mmCIF file with all atom_site columns, all heavy atoms in Angstrom:
data_model
loop_
_atom_site.group_PDB
_atom_site.id
_atom_site.type_symbol
_atom_site.label_atom_id
_atom_site.label_alt_id
_atom_site.label_comp_id
_atom_site.label_asym_id
_atom_site.label_entity_id
_atom_site.label_seq_id
_atom_site.pdbx_PDB_ins_code
_atom_site.Cartn_x
_atom_site.Cartn_y
_atom_site.Cartn_z
_atom_site.occupancy
_atom_site.B_iso_or_equiv
_atom_site.pdbx_formal_charge
_atom_site.auth_seq_id
_atom_site.auth_comp_id
_atom_site.auth_asym_id
_atom_site.auth_atom_id
_atom_site.pdbx_PDB_model_num
ATOM 1   N N   . ASP A 1 203 ? 1.201  -32.123 -64.356 1.00 97.00 ? 216 ASP A N   1
ATOM 2   C CA  . ASP A 1 203 ? 0.210  -32.842 -63.543 1.00 97.00 ? 216 ASP A CA  1
ATOM 3   C C   . ASP A 1 203 ? 0.064  -34.299 -63.983 1.00 97.00 ? 216 ASP A C   1
ATOM 4   O O   . ASP A 1 203 ? -0.097 -35.186 -63.154 1.00 97.00 ? 216 ASP A O   1
ATOM 5   C CB  . ASP A 1 203 ? -1.161 -32.160 -63.659 1.00 97.00 ? 216 ASP A CB  1
ATOM 6   C CG  . ASP A 1 203 ? -1.232 -30.907 -62.797 1.00 97.00 ? 216 ASP A CG  1
ATOM 7   O OD1 . ASP A 1 203 ? -0.293 -30.701 -61.990 1.00 97.00 ? 216 ASP A OD1 1
ATOM 8   O OD2 . ASP A 1 203 ? -2.198 -30.145 -62.937 1.00 97.00 ? 216 ASP A OD2 1
ATOM 9   N N   . ASN A 1 204 ? 0.105  -34.521 -65.280 1.00 98.00 ? 217 ASN A N   1
ATOM 10  C CA  . ASN A 1 204 ? -0.113 -35.879 -65.790 1.00 98.00 ? 217 ASN A CA  1
ATOM 11  C C   . ASN A 1 204 ? 1.171  -36.512 -66.326 1.00 98.00 ? 217 ASN A C   1
ATOM 12  O O   . ASN A 1 204 ? 1.130  -37.355 -67.199 1.00 98.00 ? 217 ASN A O   1
ATOM 13  C CB  . ASN A 1 204 ? -1.177 -35.860 -66.888 1.00 98.00 ? 217 ASN A CB  1
ATOM 14  C CG  . ASN A 1 204 ? -2.503 -35.339 -66.357 1.00 98.00 ? 217 ASN A CG  1
ATOM 15  O OD1 . ASN A 1 204 ? -2.714 -35.300 -65.140 1.00 98.00 ? 217 ASN A OD1 1
ATOM 16  N ND2 . ASN A 1 204 ? -3.383 -34.925 -67.253 1.00 98.00 ? 217 ASN A ND2 1
ATOM 17  N N   . VAL A 1 205 ? 2.295  -36.048 -65.800 1.00 98.00 ? 218 VAL A N   1
ATOM 18  C CA  . VAL A 1 205 ? 3.580  -36.608 -66.242 1.00 98.00 ? 218 VAL A CA  1
ATOM 19  C C   . VAL A 1 205 ? 4.219  -37.386 -65.097 1.00 98.00 ? 218 VAL A C   1
ATOM 20  O O   . VAL A 1 205 ? 4.258  -36.917 -63.965 1.00 98.00 ? 218 VAL A O   1
ATOM 21  C CB  . VAL A 1 205 ? 4.558  -35.500 -66.703 1.00 98.00 ? 218 VAL A CB  1
ATOM 22  C CG1 . VAL A 1 205 ? 5.874  -36.115 -67.178 1.00 98.00 ? 218 VAL A CG1 1
ATOM 23  C CG2 . VAL A 1 205 ? 3.933  -34.642 -67.804 1.00 98.00 ? 218 VAL A CG2 1
ATOM 24  N N   . VAL A 1 206 ? 4.703  -38.573 -65.408 1.00 98.00 ? 219 VAL A N   1
ATOM 25  C CA  . VAL A 1 206 ? 5.478  -39.355 -64.446 1.00 98.00 ? 219 VAL A CA  1
ATOM 26  C C   . VAL A 1 206 ? 6.921  -39.389 -64.950 1.00 98.00 ? 219 VAL A C   1
ATOM 27  O O   . VAL A 1 206 ? 7.182  -39.871 -66.054 1.00 98.00 ? 219 VAL A O   1
ATOM 28  C CB  . VAL A 1 206 ? 4.961  -40.806 -64.364 1.00 98.00 ? 219 VAL A CB  1
ATOM 29  C CG1 . VAL A 1 206 ? 5.763  -41.591 -63.335 1.00 98.00 ? 219 VAL A CG1 1
ATOM 30  C CG2 . VAL A 1 206 ? 3.478  -40.825 -64.049 1.00 98.00 ? 219 VAL A CG2 1
ATOM 31  N N   . PHE A 1 207 ? 7.837  -38.828 -64.165 1.00 98.00 ? 220 PHE A N   1
ATOM 32  C CA  . PHE A 1 207 ? 9.253  -38.894 -64.542 1.00 98.00 ? 220 PHE A CA  1
ATOM 33  C C   . PHE A 1 207 ? 9.893  -40.092 -63.852 1.00 98.00 ? 220 PHE A C   1
ATOM 34  O O   . PHE A 1 207 ? 9.714  -40.276 -62.643 1.00 98.00 ? 220 PHE A O   1
ATOM 35  C CB  . PHE A 1 207 ? 9.989  -37.620 -64.109 1.00 98.00 ? 220 PHE A CB  1
ATOM 36  C CG  . PHE A 1 207 ? 9.579  -36.394 -64.884 1.00 98.00 ? 220 PHE A CG  1
ATOM 37  C CD1 . PHE A 1 207 ? 8.676  -35.482 -64.347 1.00 98.00 ? 220 PHE A CD1 1
ATOM 38  C CD2 . PHE A 1 207 ? 10.096 -36.145 -66.150 1.00 98.00 ? 220 PHE A CD2 1
ATOM 39  C CE1 . PHE A 1 207 ? 8.295  -34.348 -65.055 1.00 98.00 ? 220 PHE A CE1 1
ATOM 40  C CE2 . PHE A 1 207 ? 9.719  -35.013 -66.860 1.00 98.00 ? 220 PHE A CE2 1
ATOM 41  C CZ  . PHE A 1 207 ? 8.824  -34.106 -66.318 1.00 98.00 ? 220 PHE A CZ  1
ATOM 42  N N   . ALA A 1 208 ? 10.647 -40.880 -64.599 1.00 98.00 ? 221 ALA A N   1
ATOM 43  C CA  . ALA A 1 208 ? 11.287 -42.045 -63.976 1.00 98.00 ? 221 ALA A CA  1
ATOM 44  C C   . ALA A 1 208 ? 12.555 -42.424 -64.713 1.00 98.00 ? 221 ALA A C   1
ATOM 45  O O   . ALA A 1 208 ? 12.644 -42.266 -65.929 1.00 98.00 ? 221 ALA A O   1
ATOM 46  C CB  . ALA A 1 208 ? 10.327 -43.234 -63.967 1.00 98.00 ? 221 ALA A CB  1
ATOM 47  N N   . GLN A 1 209 ? 13.511 -42.924 -63.932 1.00 97.00 ? 222 GLN A N   1
ATOM 48  C CA  . GLN A 1 209 ? 14.723 -43.404 -64.568 1.00 97.00 ? 222 GLN A CA  1
ATOM 49  C C   . GLN A 1 209 ? 14.434 -44.746 -65.250 1.00 97.00 ? 222 GLN A C   1
ATOM 50  O O   . GLN A 1 209 ? 13.780 -45.614 -64.673 1.00 97.00 ? 222 GLN A O   1
ATOM 51  C CB  . GLN A 1 209 ? 15.825 -43.577 -63.520 1.00 97.00 ? 222 GLN A CB  1
ATOM 52  C CG  . GLN A 1 209 ? 17.176 -43.828 -64.161 1.00 97.00 ? 222 GLN A CG  1
ATOM 53  C CD  . GLN A 1 209 ? 18.270 -44.028 -63.126 1.00 97.00 ? 222 GLN A CD  1
ATOM 54  O OE1 . GLN A 1 209 ? 18.008 -44.452 -62.008 1.00 97.00 ? 222 GLN A OE1 1
ATOM 55  N NE2 . GLN A 1 209 ? 19.492 -43.715 -63.508 1.00 97.00 ? 222 GLN A NE2 1
ATOM 56  N N   . HIS A 1 210 ? 14.896 -44.894 -66.471 1.00 97.00 ? 223 HIS A N   1
ATOM 57  C CA  . HIS A 1 210 ? 14.706 -46.146 -67.196 1.00 97.00 ? 223 HIS A CA  1
ATOM 58  C C   . HIS A 1 210 ? 15.840 -46.256 -68.210 1.00 97.00 ? 223 HIS A C   1
ATOM 59  O O   . HIS A 1 210 ? 16.112 -45.310 -68.944 1.00 97.00 ? 223 HIS A O   1
ATOM 60  C CB  . HIS A 1 210 ? 13.355 -46.146 -67.907 1.00 97.00 ? 223 HIS A CB  1
ATOM 61  C CG  . HIS A 1 210 ? 13.080 -47.406 -68.680 1.00 97.00 ? 223 HIS A CG  1
ATOM 62  N ND1 . HIS A 1 210 ? 13.580 -47.631 -69.947 1.00 97.00 ? 223 HIS A ND1 1
ATOM 63  C CD2 . HIS A 1 210 ? 12.367 -48.517 -68.362 1.00 97.00 ? 223 HIS A CD2 1
ATOM 64  C CE1 . HIS A 1 210 ? 13.182 -48.820 -70.367 1.00 97.00 ? 223 HIS A CE1 1
ATOM 65  N NE2 . HIS A 1 210 ? 12.439 -49.377 -69.430 1.00 97.00 ? 223 HIS A NE2 1
ATOM 66  N N   . ASN A 1 211 ? 16.477 -47.410 -68.233 1.00 97.00 ? 224 ASN A N   1
ATOM 67  C CA  . ASN A 1 211 ? 17.579 -47.640 -69.166 1.00 97.00 ? 224 ASN A CA  1
ATOM 68  C C   . ASN A 1 211 ? 17.089 -48.518 -70.315 1.00 97.00 ? 224 ASN A C   1
ATOM 69  O O   . ASN A 1 211 ? 16.701 -49.666 -70.115 1.00 97.00 ? 224 ASN A O   1
ATOM 70  C CB  . ASN A 1 211 ? 18.736 -48.320 -68.422 1.00 97.00 ? 224 ASN A CB  1
ATOM 71  C CG  . ASN A 1 211 ? 19.970 -48.455 -69.297 1.00 97.00 ? 224 ASN A CG  1
ATOM 72  O OD1 . ASN A 1 211 ? 19.888 -48.345 -70.531 1.00 97.00 ? 224 ASN A OD1 1
ATOM 73  N ND2 . ASN A 1 211 ? 21.106 -48.696 -68.672 1.00 97.00 ? 224 ASN A ND2 1
ATOM 74  N N   . LEU A 1 212 ? 17.118 -47.960 -71.514 1.00 98.00 ? 225 LEU A N   1
ATOM 75  C CA  . LEU A 1 212 ? 16.603 -48.694 -72.678 1.00 98.00 ? 225 LEU A CA  1
ATOM 76  C C   . LEU A 1 212 ? 17.427 -49.936 -72.985 1.00 98.00 ? 225 LEU A C   1
ATOM 77  O O   . LEU A 1 212 ? 16.949 -50.863 -73.634 1.00 98.00 ? 225 LEU A O   1
ATOM 78  C CB  . LEU A 1 212 ? 16.591 -47.772 -73.910 1.00 98.00 ? 225 LEU A CB  1
ATOM 79  C CG  . LEU A 1 212 ? 15.559 -46.648 -73.877 1.00 98.00 ? 225 LEU A CG  1
ATOM 80  C CD1 . LEU A 1 212 ? 15.851 -45.625 -74.975 1.00 98.00 ? 225 LEU A CD1 1
ATOM 81  C CD2 . LEU A 1 212 ? 14.149 -47.211 -74.043 1.00 98.00 ? 225 LEU A CD2 1
ATOM 82  N N   . VAL A 1 213 ? 18.666 -49.953 -72.527 1.00 96.00 ? 226 VAL A N   1
ATOM 83  C CA  . VAL A 1 213 ? 19.533 -51.096 -72.806 1.00 96.00 ? 226 VAL A CA  1
ATOM 84  C C   . VAL A 1 213 ? 19.163 -52.289 -71.941 1.00 96.00 ? 226 VAL A C   1
ATOM 85  O O   . VAL A 1 213 ? 19.134 -53.425 -72.402 1.00 96.00 ? 226 VAL A O   1
ATOM 86  C CB  . VAL A 1 213 ? 21.018 -50.739 -72.558 1.00 96.00 ? 226 VAL A CB  1
ATOM 87  C CG1 . VAL A 1 213 ? 21.914 -51.931 -72.836 1.00 96.00 ? 226 VAL A CG1 1
ATOM 88  C CG2 . VAL A 1 213 ? 21.423 -49.545 -73.401 1.00 96.00 ? 226 VAL A CG2 1
ATOM 89  N N   . SER A 1 214 ? 18.864 -52.035 -70.684 1.00 95.00 ? 227 SER A N   1
ATOM 90  C CA  . SER A 1 214 ? 18.746 -53.155 -69.755 1.00 95.00 ? 227 SER A CA  1
ATOM 91  C C   . SER A 1 214 ? 17.386 -53.286 -69.073 1.00 95.00 ? 227 SER A C   1
ATOM 92  O O   . SER A 1 214 ? 17.085 -54.330 -68.495 1.00 95.00 ? 227 SER A O   1
ATOM 93  C CB  . SER A 1 214 ? 19.835 -53.026 -68.678 1.00 95.00 ? 227 SER A CB  1
ATOM 94  O OG  . SER A 1 214 ? 19.872 -51.702 -68.185 1.00 95.00 ? 227 SER A OG  1
ATOM 95  N N   . ASP A 1 215 ? 16.558 -52.258 -69.085 1.00 96.00 ? 228 ASP A N   1
ATOM 96  C CA  . ASP A 1 215 ? 15.267 -52.340 -68.398 1.00 96.00 ? 228 ASP A CA  1
ATOM 97  C C   . ASP A 1 215 ? 14.169 -52.804 -69.347 1.00 96.00 ? 228 ASP A C   1
ATOM 98  O O   . ASP A 1 215 ? 14.243 -52.594 -70.551 1.00 96.00 ? 228 ASP A O   1
ATOM 99  C CB  . ASP A 1 215 ? 14.894 -50.982 -67.787 1.00 96.00 ? 228 ASP A CB  1
ATOM 100 C CG  . ASP A 1 215 ? 15.843 -50.598 -66.662 1.00 96.00 ? 228 ASP A CG  1
ATOM 101 O OD1 . ASP A 1 215 ? 16.412 -51.510 -66.036 1.00 96.00 ? 228 ASP A OD1 1
ATOM 102 O OD2 . ASP A 1 215 ? 16.021 -49.389 -66.426 1.00 96.00 ? 228 ASP A OD2 1
ATOM 103 N N   . ARG A 1 216 ? 13.156 -53.398 -68.746 1.00 95.00 ? 229 ARG A N   1
ATOM 104 C CA  . ARG A 1 216 ? 12.065 -53.925 -69.553 1.00 95.00 ? 229 ARG A CA  1
ATOM 105 C C   . ARG A 1 216 ? 10.986 -52.885 -69.769 1.00 95.00 ? 229 ARG A C   1
ATOM 106 O O   . ARG A 1 216 ? 11.010 -51.816 -69.210 1.00 95.00 ? 229 ARG A O   1
ATOM 107 C CB  . ARG A 1 216 ? 11.433 -55.112 -68.831 1.00 95.00 ? 229 ARG A CB  1
ATOM 108 C CG  . ARG A 1 216 ? 12.324 -56.299 -68.796 1.00 95.00 ? 229 ARG A CG  1
ATOM 109 C CD  . ARG A 1 216 ? 11.903 -57.225 -67.661 1.00 95.00 ? 229 ARG A CD  1
ATOM 110 N NE  . ARG A 1 216 ? 12.703 -58.432 -67.717 1.00 95.00 ? 229 ARG A NE  1
ATOM 111 C CZ  . ARG A 1 216 ? 12.364 -59.507 -68.413 1.00 95.00 ? 229 ARG A CZ  1
ATOM 112 N NH1 . ARG A 1 216 ? 11.206 -59.536 -69.068 1.00 95.00 ? 229 ARG A NH1 1
ATOM 113 N NH2 . ARG A 1 216 ? 13.136 -60.562 -68.441 1.00 95.00 ? 229 ARG A NH2 1
ATOM 114 N N   . SER A 1 217 ? 10.002 -53.308 -70.535 1.00 94.00 ? 230 SER A N   1
ATOM 115 C CA  . SER A 1 217 ? 8.825  -52.479 -70.722 1.00 94.00 ? 230 SER A CA  1
ATOM 116 C C   . SER A 1 217 ? 8.080  -52.397 -69.390 1.00 94.00 ? 230 SER A C   1
ATOM 117 O O   . SER A 1 217 ? 8.174  -53.295 -68.561 1.00 94.00 ? 230 SER A O   1
ATOM 118 C CB  . SER A 1 217 ? 7.934  -53.106 -71.781 1.00 94.00 ? 230 SER A CB  1
ATOM 119 O OG  . SER A 1 217 ? 6.766  -52.336 -71.895 1.00 94.00 ? 230 SER A OG  1
#
Side-chain angles (χ1 to χ4, degrees):
Chain A
D216 282 350
N217 300 343
V218 181
V219 181
F220 291 100
Q222 191 181 26
H223 180 278
N224 186 343
L225 290 167
V226 179
S227 47
D228 293 333
R229 290 159 175 271
S230 177

